[in-house]
Amino acid sequence: GIQVEQSPPDLILQEGANSTLRCNFSDSVNNLQWFHQNPWGQLINLFYIPSGTKQNGRLSATTVATERYSLLYISSSQTTDSGVYFCAAWGGYQKVTFGTGTKLQVIP
Amino acid sequence: GAGVSQSPSNKVTEKGKDVELRCDPISGHTALYWYRQSLGQGLEFLIYFQGNSAPDKSGLPSDRFSAERTGGSVSTLTIQRTQQEDSAVYLCASSTPQGPTNEKLFFGSGTQLSVL
């Protein structure tokens, strides 16, 4: 099956700083999604991005499918950005594989 | 419904008892997934349904775990003779694949299971 690796595993940022989270996947995929798990455990959809670039406010994501990686950019980080960021990747009609996540802590 | 609904939100049980966890997917979503997340850990895949059939149940940790889905909608995850190591958050997600691409997952809020 597809392997998904995320880096870094942990990240501490000063409020206002920018960061880049990375997701590598082992095989070609048709679907890729980024999630934020907030401190209450809820998984929030951030981006569905099997290829290309999308932006939503201070967040943006880029997936280079041919090179099998995706990046999540967080600009001007805020304390509310804290939590765990997961990348999930899968082919068509297959089970979804999640990475182990990046735990982000934004300190004031 | 408007989102994926899971019940109960919290369940405390005694070791050895059976529990049933329920997932109501978004209306019309044909794919349904169960995951388990232990404290501070990632998401552990349990089982995947496409309609009422489960093409991949490779993640079920033992024969004490079973799941079914009826009418292409509601799914129930059953854990028999619960053990303390079963304590975790059980998450359900649903999606509606539009062919092999364009499948977006939506998660419920999970069921926190505590086995005493």
Side-chain angles (χ1 to χ4, degrees):
Chain A
I2 295 170
Q3 308 296 315
V4 179
E5 294 182 354
Q6 290 186 245
S7 60
D10 295 279
L11 186 59
I12 300 175
L13 294 177
Q14 198 77 39
E15 197 170 24
N18 304 327
S19 64
T20 301
L21 282 58
R22 187 177 179 103
C23 170
N24 292 334
F25 41 95
S26 62
D27 205 345
S28 60
V29 298
N30 293 322
N31 303 281
L32 190 139
Q33 205 164 344
W34 282 95
F35 296 88
H36 174 219
Q37 189 168 41
N38 64 25
W40 297 270
Q42 179 67 45
L43 279 157
I44 310 295
N45 292 318
L46 295 179
F47 294 101
Y48 173 81
I49 185 164
S51 64
T53 298
K54 290 186 177 178
Q55 179 153 11
N56 184 2
R58 296 180 297 102
L59 302 182
S60 64
T62 296
T63 297
V64 183
T66 52
E67 297 187 22
R68 301 181 184 170
Y69 73 87
S70 182
L71 303 174
L72 178 69
Y73 305 98
I74 305 174
S75 64
S76 304
S77 58
Q78 300 177 357
T79 55
T80 51
D81 295 331
S82 296
V84 183
Y85 290 80
F86 288 103
C87 165
W90 65 107
Y93 302 111
Q94 296 177 2
K95 77 179 188 187
V96 180
T97 300
F98 279 79
T100 51
T102 293
K103 185 175 181 180
L104 173 64
Q105 185 180 358
V106 181
I107 54 179
Chain B
V4 179
S5 177
Q6 291 188 247
S7 59
S9 55
N10 282 283
K11 177 71 177 178
V12 180
T13 190
E14 294 179 351
K15 178 180 173 181
K17 300 279 190 183
D18 298 352
V19 295
E20 283 190 354
L21 312 180
R22 177 186 169 106
C23 174
D24 275 288
I26 293 172
S27 178
H29 278 197
T30 57
L32 186 147
Y33 302 81
W34 283 99
Y35 287 85
R36 177 169 74 171
Q37 189 176 32
S38 300
L39 188 63
Q41 301 299 308
L43 280 78
E44 176 189 3
F45 168 79
L46 297 178
I47 188 169
Y48 159 54
F49 286 94
Q50 184 61 245
N52 290 336
S53 63
D56 192 338
K57 54 179 77 173
S58 62
L60 294 177
S62 74
D63 59 8
R64 296 187 295 105
F65 287 72
S66 63
E68 64 175 12
R69 190 177 185 197
T70 55
S73 181
V74 172
S75 177
T76 303
L77 177 69
T78 301
I79 309 173
Q80 296 178 310
R81 304 180 302 281
T82 52
Q83 304 295 311
Q84 288 181 334
E85 61 261 30
D86 299 335
S87 297
V89 176
Y90 289 80
L91 291 159
C92 174
S94 72
S95 70
T96 180
Q98 305 287 331
T101 61
N102 199 26
E103 177 184 1
K104 186 188 277 191
L105 279 183
F106 296 85
F107 275 89
S109 299
T111 293
Q112 172 74 62
L113 175 65
S114 300
V115 182
L116 305 180

